[in-house]
Every structure is written in structure tokens, then in C-alpha cells.
Amino acid sequence: MQCLNNSIFYYFFSVLQFYFTKRAINDDFDLLFGLLDGSASLAKESLVYSYGRSFNGFAAKLSPPEVDTFSKMERVISVIPNHKLHLHTTHSWEFMDFSPGKIRPQEEGNIVIGFLDSGIWPESESFNDEGMSPPPAKWKGKCHNITCNNKIIGARYYNSEGLYPTTEFKSPRDAIGHGTHTSSTAAGREVDGASFLGLAKGTATGGVPNARIAVYKVCWDMLGCSNADILAAFDDAIADGVDILSMSLGSDDPQPFFDDALAIGAFHAMKRGVLSSASAGNSGPSPATASNLAPWMLTVAASSMDRKFISQVVLGNGEIYPQGIAVNSFKLNGTSFPLVWAGDVANYSGGNGLLNAKNCLPGSLNSNKIAGKIVLCNRNPIGTILVGETWKDIMAPYVASFSSRGPNRLNPEILKPDITAPGLDILAAWSPVASPSGSPFDTRKVKFNVISGTSMSCPHASAVAAYVKALHPNWSPAAIKSAIMTTANVMDPRKNDDHEFAYGAGHINPLAVTNPGLVYNASEADYIHFLCKQGYNTSTLKQITGESNASCDGVVPGRAWDLNYPTFGVAVEDGQSVNATFTRTVTNVASTNSTYRVTVQMSSSVNVEVHPKKLSFSTVGEKKTFTVKVSGPKMVEQPIQSGTIVWKDGVHVVRSPLVVYTITTNSMTTSPFRPTERIRFGANSINWNMHF
């Protein structure tokens, strides 16, 4: 059997045997050698990656018939196509009343944040290592084709296709700017006088400026981010010794976890004590568009802060409209441009009508008709735009319109996104070879850029997770995630029509995360039980865990109400009554002697009972279990009803959202094996910098 060169695909195979040594490469080669008619040259040419440092498997170039034969081999657990994913910014920390560098540099310097992204620009001032000690002794990472220092201590790149656009570097160097921006947002050093061409001038800093950075370049200009590269990066990052993984990228459409490279990689990271923080996506405000839905991942929405950039529009009659929110650094010197109403320039050929066009949705406008014009919902004939100004946004925080929303399409009982963090108009470091606007005609070169997206909110959460890890190095990923969620600030539902589907547990609060009082912990076994309840069987379970002894024997599929998650979701099928019982276990991580009492808030139509109503702890690490019973009448077309379950001991406030909402049987499913109504995420974005 020979490879069909005109029909080559990349696949990931999880093989039962697990190797940490060079034997993994030899074993993978032997499997391909046998498949490809005993041809050593074809086997060598076919093998792309051999994963063996942190989990088992490999990526190879195979034709469909070869894949079919290979997938039937006894030692092969799963075959996954090499899908492409997409990339999803000093004031933000001040907005949250958080002063970076709150803990000793030695403690913070022990933490390594790994970034799966588009690389990094190592010469940026944000990555200087002045005064930093050598990397921690645990570190096993390497730097490929760039010079690292005591700040950037690891840099690898992955390109399974072997294609390098002329705009790209064959190295971890960032040609797009995205990876430089995200890594400096989380862990950049302090840089005075930073600005985007004079806008947002101040001191740029990451949330944990003394933490180390490890870069895993998996995303490429014009090529996206492939599954094979992502899994190879996970394999290396876990073995290298990262503590937190930050991933501002995601799929166009949620996939079952056994087909999701980010979910699989994050599961293996979780097993090794590494929390994966991921962006929720930029496909809002449409419902059920959130990505990165695995419960072992921290899924981050994007919200505003009390700073916005305004570009005033001056009409031909001299009237000034100050409401235009835009980042404009160009001085037009009074030059006027025609104005068009968006509804008059719809992109009908692209399947858009008046509704999409007048709201200026991505891809909804005719590019030929809007060229050289100012697009407004106003028919005035001409106007000019003034240079951008910085204004205070008294409404903040509110969730950005582009931020992807819940409910969770794969597991309706698991509320997603988990949390929201600043993601609008974030200033951070940038690659000087990348266009600040994304346009190939924009030749400006900048050291810092202002961009928006859940890609920008994700590294804020990653930094907060690193902050918790530095002070509590023995906490599990689930405990860190719980601390972030239960200490979140309450969001104002009057500013967010989608309520928890927009912001999850609330707005991240870095000041409170290190002392949550109680945490909802979860282990690998808990997540395996969750997957079994969701309809996975022993065979499909192995595709995620990679464990030959993983089993769903004795587990009856059902609702996910017993997963020890920090939030509570009740998805009621139209016409059915409300009837759900949750079991939760909390672990005391604060005072040796404490008593917590519960308070419940919920609409009068839904009854919530918690038993017991009091939890007493005498030692740190002690666990207590309680149940939550939710009941109510039949519901039809019921929008989200929001409530809370709060445990208080007089010092700590442990808050969990409780949401009740209706679903239709053909739009949601609790099993990953039944087809769902597919809601495609927007291929375009509100801003080029948000979704690559």
C-alpha cells in the first residue's frame, strides 16, 4: 500500500503503549513500516510527530484508505483529522485594583506560563530579564532559533505541513503580533511610556511580571493552527514543566472532546497538575457559540474596563457626533469622506440582508461600496473623523458584543463561559513586523498595540491562575479554577442581556482569588466519570485519556449534575417540569475552625433546597458534601433565570451561580454522539486582531 500523494491528510493516533524514551519514535515508525508495504522511506516520509513525552501517539501523512486500515489495528485507539483552529491587551490591572508584583519575585519566578500561540518578539522591552534569577531547577524546556533569557525560558515552533508563508519566520518569532500581545498581557515586565501611537500612554505591565514565559508557536500567518502541531506543543509543554497553559485560540465549531485537540491536550495537562486557560471565542452575541467547553479547562469571556477610545465624527454641517467607539491614530487634517448608511450597502452576494448590514455584522457589507467612506446608520452626506481620544467608561464592566455566549452546546449542565475578564481595547506589546490593523496596506510599525477579543481576556485569567499557583503550588487545576470562579465579582445583569451565558460566574477578581475559603475540587477520576455519564464508552474514553485501563463499566449515562463544578446549570426540555438534584463537595482551604451558612437567591417560580444548610470545618483540607434540589413547574420557551448559592463564614464569600433555562431537543444534547443543530461561528471577525 502506498501513500496517495494527491490525497494526503494528517492524523493523530493514540496507541495503547506509552513511551517516554526514543522507543516511542521507533514504535511509531514500525507501525507505519508495516502499514506502508514495509517501505522504510515511505514510513519516514509519512511520520510527522511522535508524541511520547507527556502522552502517547503520533501524527502522520496518510491517504484515506491507509487511515481506514490503520484505524482497525488492535493497538490503535483513535484517529483524528488534522483540523485547523484559529487565534481568537495596562490599565486593565489597575481597573481590577490589582498591583502586579504583589508577591515576592522568587515565588512568582517559580511559575512558568506556556503560551500556545503565534510566537513571540523576544526583543520587546516587555520581555527584558533585568534583575531576574536563572530559570527554576524543574525547567526542562529549550529554545529553538531564537535567543532566550531569564524571562523567556522556552521557545519552540511546530509546522507539520512544512509550509512557511513569505511573511513568516521559521522560528518561534512572531510575525502576526498576536502571541507577543497575549504573553505580555499575562507576564510582561513593566515598560514606562508605552502607548499605541500616543493613545493609552502609561506603564505597560503583565499581571505576573516576574513569572517565566515559555512559547509554543502553533499558529501561522494565513495557515491557522493545526491539531497535529497543537498536540505536539502540549506534549512538549507538559514535559518541559509549565505550570499554566494559556491558549487564545479555538475551533470554529465545538467538537466532541475525543475530536478536540485542545480538550485532549488540556486533559493530559490536568493529569499533570497544569491548568489550561482558553478563550471563549469571538462569535457573540449569538447564543450557543462559546468554544473550549471541556470542564477541565477555564473558559474566558471578554468584557470592558473603564477606559474607551472615542473618535468623533464631524459632519459636513459641522455637527459633531462623539459616540463613535474606535481606535484611530490617523490625522485626517479635515479631509472629508462620504457617509453611507450600512443598510444601503449590504453584501447580498454573501447571503446578507438589511438586518445584518444595518448592524454592521462581520462580512455583511459590500466592500466595493464602502471603500473610502464612513459607514454609519445615518444618511448625512459627508464627514471627517478626528484623532482618537481616551474617555472614561462609567458603564464598565459589561461583556463585549463579540464575546461568544453560552449555553454550552455539548454539555448544557456545565455553564460556559466560566468567567469574564478585560478584553476590550487592551494595550500590550506587539511584533514590529506585523501590521497594527491587520491590513496588508498598513505599513506602520509599532511596539505596542491596542486590540480587543477573548484572546486578550484569556491571558488576564492565565496571569491570575499563575498568581494563585505561586502562592498555592500544591493546589490542583480544579482548585485554582474554583477559586477564580467563586470569588468573582458580580456582574450587573441589566447591562448584560444574556446574563451568565455572557459572563459565567462573573468578573475575575485577582484580589480575592488566593483566599477563597472553600474550593470545589475535582480529579481525573471525576472527569472520567463525567465523560461516562455523557455517553462516552470505554473505547471513546481512551481517545481522550490515553489510558488502556480507562473504563465506563457500571456507569449509567445521564445528566452532569454530580460533577463537582463551581456552578449549577439546569437545562429543561421545553414542556418539562424543573427537577434536578446536584451533589457537591467543598474543601476547606482557609481557617482551621470555621462554620459556613448557605443563602439562596432564585426567582419565586423555582424552588431551591440546600441540605445541610450549615457546614462546619475543624481542619484545613477537610471536606464536606451537600446537595442542591431544584424544582419547579413545566416551562416552555423560558429565558435564563438566574440565581445564586452562597456559603459565608463571616470572612469568606463562596458564590456559585445557579441558572435554569429551557432547551429544545434538536438544539442541545447531553450526548456527544447524537447530532446537534450546527451553529457555525462567524468566519470573519469584528476586528482582524480578534479572530485569525
Side-chain angles (χ1 to χ4, degrees), residues 148-160:
C148 287
N149 56 18
N150 288 329
K151 180 62 178 179
I152 304 173
I153 62 173
R156 301 175 185 265
Y157 67 100
Y158 309 83
N159 190 321
S160 55

Side-chain angles (χ1 to χ4, degrees), residues 28-231:
D28 297 342
F29 182 85
D30 290 343
L31 283 171
L32 290 172
F33 182 81
L35 174 68
L36 302 175
D37 294 337
S39 171
S41 60
L42 285 177
K44 183 177 180 180
E45 181 182 347
S46 175
L47 184 62
V48 178
Y49 292 123
S50 185
Y51 313 126
R53 301 186 68 199
S54 304
F55 50 86
N56 54 310
F58 63 90
K61 303 176 185 178
L62 295 175
S63 66
E66 291 163 347
V67 170
D68 183 62
T69 300
F70 198 89
S71 62
K72 296 175 182 177
M73 292 183 176
E74 182 180 356
R75 298 171 63 196
V76 175
I77 293 175
S78 65
V79 179
I80 303 174
N82 189 32
H83 297 299
K84 287 296 185 70
L85 306 185
H86 307 277
L87 291 167
H88 281 161
T89 121
T90 18
H91 181 69
S92 53
W93 297 109
E94 180 183 354
F95 171 64
M96 295 184 286
D97 294 324
F98 183 73
S99 301
K102 289 179 70 70
I103 56 179
R104 293 184 302 169
Q106 298 92 323
E107 292 175 316
E108 203 169 279
N110 286 329
I111 301 301
V112 184
I113 307 178
F115 295 87
L116 273 64
D117 215 298
S118 65
I120 198 167
W121 195 264
E123 292 82 9
S124 169
E125 297 171 82
S126 293
F127 308 125
N128 80 82
D129 66 348
E130 183 179 355
M132 297 189 71
S133 61
K138 66 179 181 181
W139 183 245
K140 300 179 178 64
K142 297 180 179 179
C143 291
H144 293 157
N145 292 2
I146 67 170
T147 300
C148 287
N149 56 18
N150 288 329
K151 180 62 178 179
I152 304 173
I153 62 173
R156 301 175 185 265
Y157 67 100
Y158 309 83
N159 190 321
S160 55
E161 296 181 335
L163 301 175
Y164 297 91
T166 56
T167 55
E168 270 290 359
F169 300 94
K170 196 173 183 180
S171 78
R173 189 173 291 279
D174 184 11
I176 302 173
H178 191 275
T180 301
H181 199 281
T182 56
S183 54
S184 63
T185 298
R189 306 298 300 279
E190 289 191 3
V191 180
D192 293 330
S195 73
F196 171 62
L197 299 173
L199 282 173
K201 191 170 184 178
T203 299
T205 182
V208 280
N210 294 303
R212 319 292 178 148
I213 291 173
V215 179
Y216 301 87
K217 182 177 178 178
V218 297
C219 300
W220 300 81
D221 189 16
M222 298 185 287
L223 298 179
C225 332
S226 78
N227 271 356
D229 296 338
I230 289 168
L231 286 165

Side-chain angles (χ1 to χ4, degrees), residues 4 447 519 582 639:
L4 305 177
K447 295 182 178 180
V519 295
F582 300 85

